[in-house]
Amino acid sequence: DQQVKQNSPSLSVQEGRISILNCDYTNSMFDYFLWYKKYPAEGPTFLISISSIKDKNEDGRFTVFLNKSAKHLSLHIVPSQPGDSAVYFCAASAPNAGGTSYGKLTFGQGTILTVHP
Amino acid sequence: SQTIHQWPATLVQPVGSPLSLECTVEGTSNPNLYWYRQAAGRGLQLLFYSVGIGQISSEVPQNLSASRPQDRQFILSSKKLLLSDSGFYLCAWRKTLADYYNEQFFGPGTRLTVL
């Protein structure tokens, strides 16, 4: 049961243009969402996150949008740079029954972003 | 600042041999610790997590086990490796559950190949 899905295995974008990476989830208990960037043979690097009380969070060139009714989030990178070429994972977290969290993350399959000069 | 270390970086082991991967975190105390595996072409799958010394929770039934002998040390083990254990193993840490909305930080990973 894939609770977090990234339906686009790859995305190719021209340098300077916008990159839009999409992610869908099925578990309505998810209330915290994150995006990670990963280079081959390295650990993922945290990019940006958003809690379910917001619908947008911005950090420099990166903006994450959350549409709770559609159970959809997206990462916008503007402008895209060749150094952004990597695999991007979205992840989601849900609280425990007691309202706390052990921070367990459920990841999507990843989207390979290639930014061409 | 906090850092996370994993070793070895790469490992090639025969089927049936034991496994021990180590992860240590510096610069923080009482972190939540996690082991993930990324199989070829797949996303990251959570294997184990720990909220304190000696406290281990398993997410999926498998051939692996985890231990946390010290506050900032997390070990992934197996008594007998299977071919299906091949993958990229990642350790991660997070501030304690008192601060709910915070991210996990990942180590550099270990590439395990079982032949």
Side-chain angles (χ1 to χ4, degrees):
Chain A
D1 178 27
Q2 193 77 26
Q3 297 188 59
V4 178
K5 296 180 181 180
Q6 295 175 255
N7 292 316
S8 297
S10 62
L11 175 67
S12 183
V13 173
Q14 203 67 31
E15 180 179 7
R17 305 295 290 270
I18 184 172
S19 296
I20 300 177
L21 298 119
N22 294 303
C23 180
D24 298 294
Y25 62 96
T26 57
N27 187 344
S28 58
M29 297 303 294
F30 287 145
D31 67 347
Y32 184 51
F33 304 88
L34 308 91
W35 283 94
Y36 283 86
K37 174 182 180 181
K38 184 181 182 301
Y39 293 116
E42 294 184 8
T45 302
F46 170 73
L47 277 175
I48 193 169
S49 63
I50 188 169
S51 70
S52 59
I53 61 174
K54 296 182 177 180
D55 54 18
K56 176 183 176 181
N57 188 27
E58 190 172 356
D59 183 2
R61 296 187 297 115
F62 302 93
T63 303
V64 56
F65 295 91
L66 176 62
N67 182 333
K68 290 188 293 292
S69 61
K71 293 189 176 66
H72 177 83
L73 65 155
S74 61
L75 174 68
H76 292 209
I77 306 174
V78 184
S80 302
Q81 300 172 354
D84 295 330
S85 298
V87 180
Y88 288 77
F89 290 98
C90 68
S93 177
N96 300 335
T100 57
S101 171
Y102 296 132
K104 297 185 294 181
L105 296 179
T106 301
F107 281 83
Q109 311 95 304
T111 296
I112 302 171
L113 173 65
T114 303
V115 180
H116 299 282
Chain B
S1 64
Q2 300 89 2
T3 56
I4 179 169
H5 304 278
Q6 284 187 246
W7 64 92
T10 60
L11 191 59
V12 179
Q13 291 285 94
V15 170
S17 63
L19 174 73
S20 181
L21 302 181
E22 190 162 345
C23 170
T24 59
V25 182
E26 297 176 357
T28 188
S29 59
N30 194 29
N32 288 0
L33 295 172
Y34 309 85
W35 278 111
Y36 290 85
R37 176 171 60 201
Q38 183 184 19
R42 306 286 295 277
L44 280 69
Q45 181 185 35
L46 178 63
L47 303 176
F48 301 94
Y49 68 95
S50 171
V51 299
I53 296 174
Q55 300 179 58
I56 307 295
S57 296
S58 174
E59 285 295 291
V60 293
Q62 58 206 314
N63 185 43
L64 303 168
S65 62
S67 62
R68 185 171 177 174
Q70 300 180 44
D71 181 45
R72 290 169 290 171
Q73 183 184 31
F74 206 20
I75 296 172
L76 184 69
S77 303
S78 173
K79 293 182 179 178
K80 289 184 178 182
L81 284 169
L82 306 172
L83 286 174
S84 57
D85 291 324
S86 294
F88 192 53
Y89 288 83
L90 289 154
C91 180
W93 74 273
R94 172 183 174 269
K95 292 178 185 178
T96 60
L97 57 84
D99 188 359
Y100 177 68
Y101 293 120
N102 54 58
E103 61 274 18
Q104 292 181 22
F105 298 94
F106 285 81
T110 295
R111 170 71 60 191
L112 171 66
T113 303
V114 183
L115 301 175

